[in-house]
């Protein structure tokens, strides 16, 4: 990117970011009208105030998922916590940022429960589209249309696939009973507040 833009001068951080996004989009998808920039970096939840300072009209989706399922997904990743105790603490910390941001910026943030998304995808995706002012199209339920960068393909194997409701409790087969017990000991109040049943 910077090789192609080395002589361009930007007047703001926002202008630089938009230029990078448009460059990436045009390179991977071709020039299109009415583009939407969607970013799903989990750490963004810690920087909501800064993001809204730079992009005041942006909309954020706070995706809340059962912490046991989150732990079973992230413990195997290079960047995630590597044991159940640190996974529990990591989940609580990130979730807390999201819940606080929801209270501070209610018009910019919509909470979506992962479990609702995979069991009632049509209704939930319609609500998301309405929130972000994007027309709903039934083909959104089919997956596809996103080019996963090579460096993240290992952890994003399911991105292009259709929503699979059977994955709701896949963590029960991935975590040991002891890991579930430890996670619930560390987080049982939060799990209960969010409506998740304890094992």
């Amino acid at each position: 990117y910077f090789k192609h833009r080395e002589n361009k001068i930007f007047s703001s951080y926002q202008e630089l970011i938009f230029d990078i996004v448009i460059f990436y989009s045009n390179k991977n998808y071709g020039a299109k009208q009415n583009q939407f920039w969607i970013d799903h970096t989990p750490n963004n939840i810690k920087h909501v105030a800064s993001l809204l300072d730079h992009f005041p009209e942006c909309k954020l989706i706070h995706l809340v998922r059962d912490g046991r399922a989150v732990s079973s997904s992230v413990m195997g990743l290079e960047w995630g916590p590597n044991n159940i105790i640190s996974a529990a603490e990591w989940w609580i910390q990130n979730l807390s940022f999201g819940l606080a941001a929801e209270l501070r910026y209610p018009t910019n943030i919509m909470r979506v429960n992962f479990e609702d998304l995979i069991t009632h995808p049509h209704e939930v995706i319609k609500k998301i589209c309405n929130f972000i002012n994007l027309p709903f199209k039934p083909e959104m339920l089919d997956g596809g249309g996103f080019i996963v960068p090579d460096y993240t393909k290992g952890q994003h194997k399911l991105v292009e696939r259709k929503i699979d409701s059977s994955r709701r409790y896949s963590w029960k087969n991935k975590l040991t009973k002891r890991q579930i017990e430890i996670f619930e000991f560390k987080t049982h109040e939060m799990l209960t507040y969010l409506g998740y049943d304890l094992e």
Side-chain angles (χ1 to χ4, degrees), residues 3 6 12 14 65 91 103 106 119 124 144 157 163-164 187:
K3 186 172 79 174
E6 61 185 34
S12 69
Q14 183 184 49
R65 186 180 185 189
W91 179 70
L103 291 173
T119 52
V124 174
K157 297 173 195 165
I163 293 171
D164 179 4
T187 67

Side-chain angles (χ1 to χ4, degrees), residues 66-81:
D66 186 323
R68 295 160 295 190
V70 173
S71 296
S72 73
S73 293
V74 300
M75 282 196 301
L77 301 176
E78 291 177 9
W79 55 265

Side-chain angles (χ1 to χ4, degrees), residues 79-136:
W79 55 265
N82 58 12
N83 63 63
I84 199 65
I85 293 173
S86 58
E89 292 166 352
W90 182 85
W91 179 70
I92 286 280
Q93 182 187 56
N94 285 283
L95 180 65
S96 298
F97 272 99
L99 296 175
E102 285 178 27
L103 291 173
R104 178 67 179 90
Y105 305 103
T107 58
N108 293 87
I109 301 178
M110 174 186 183
R111 183 190 307 174
V112 172
N113 287 83
F114 177 83
E115 294 76 16
D116 292 340
L117 175 63
I118 63 172
T119 52
H120 307 290
H122 189 270
E123 297 93 45
V124 174
I125 291 174
K126 267 186 135 173
K127 285 180 186 173
I128 292 171
C129 287
N130 186 52
F131 177 68
I132 64 174
N133 296 317
L134 179 69
F136 172 78

